[in-house]
Amino acid sequence: GGVKCWGRNNQGQLGDGSTTQRLAPIDVVGLGSGTVAIASGSVHTCALLDNGGVKCWGFNANGQLGNNSTANSLTPVDVIGLGGVVAISAGHGSYDGFTCALTAAGSVKCWGQNIYGQVGDNSTTDRLVPTDVVGLGSGVSTISAGDAHACVVNTNGAVSCWGYNALGALGDNTTANRSASVSVTGLAGISAVSAGGLHT
């Protein structure tokens, strides 16, 4: 249950208390045990703990660490107000400053950069703490955050997405950005989803 990171560390994304590039794995401070999953964005990282909480570290200009701050953190900090989390996903790519979590109740919460509606709370205001995704208070089984958009699989096998859509990444047969989840057209019986760099 420990976490080790390596590579670029200019924003503290390795979580070792420094901004020194590491060419081999190094321990993340305070995460020697108890971690069940990790999610890496471009310049921030998050860990899901065995108690259902989440810690994040690294770049935080848009609140993607979820600790009600915009200050970078070189070591893990608690995401405020989260419990019962079963999966996490960190946005990646050019607009990677947001993070999402799936709870055991099947609800989704996101936080961080929201310029394209990627937090899903029906606004374009950055969120420094987890915020409910509109329309996804239950019934979600899988989540994936991409480059300024995110998607989920619902327990009924349908897929919903939100955020940046200029190139059609949301699959709703439009190019309009969406700040709340919309159904992907023509999909049923789906069991997994992956949001990439402006495609899904």
Side-chain angles (χ1 to χ4, degrees):
V3 181
K4 295 176 181 284
C5 295
W6 58 96
R8 191 180 188 190
N9 196 27
N10 61 318
Q11 303 290 344
Q13 57 265 51
L14 301 189
D16 69 338
S18 80
T19 55
T20 302
Q21 177 179 321
R22 303 296 183 179
L23 306 185
I26 190 163
D27 291 332
V28 174
V29 173
L31 291 181
S33 64
T35 302
V36 296
I38 55 174
S40 298
S42 292
V43 284
H44 80 291
T45 314
C46 296
L48 172 59
L49 308 179
D50 58 10
N51 65 3
V54 178
K55 290 180 180 283
C56 297
W57 58 96
F59 189 64
N60 195 33
N62 304 105
Q64 53 264 59
L65 302 189
N67 66 333
N68 202 30
S69 165
T70 55
N72 294 355
S73 181
L74 307 183
T75 58
V77 294
D78 290 321
V79 177
I80 293 174
L82 276 187
V85 174
V86 295
I88 54 175
S89 188
H92 53 85
S94 303
Y95 309 104
D96 78 318
F98 76 112
T99 315
C100 295
L102 171 64
T103 74
S107 65
V108 179
K109 297 175 181 287
C110 298
W111 58 97
Q113 189 182 59
N114 198 25
I115 187 173
Y116 299 111
Q118 58 264 55
V119 169
D121 69 338
N122 209 27
S123 83
T124 53
T125 302
D126 288 357
R127 300 300 181 182
L128 307 186
V129 296
T131 306
D132 292 331
V133 175
V134 173
L136 297 180
S138 64
V140 174
S141 60
T142 304
I143 185 165
S144 181
D147 191 345
H149 76 292
C151 297
V152 298
V153 177
N154 299 300
T155 52
N156 65 3
V159 178
S160 301
C161 299
W162 61 95
Y164 187 72
N165 197 31
L167 299 175
L170 305 189
D172 67 341
N173 205 30
T174 79
T175 55
N177 296 340
R178 304 292 186 177
S179 57
S181 63
V182 293
S183 296
V184 176
T185 301
L187 285 186
I190 305 301
S191 58
V193 67
S194 184
L198 309 183
H199 72 293
T200 311

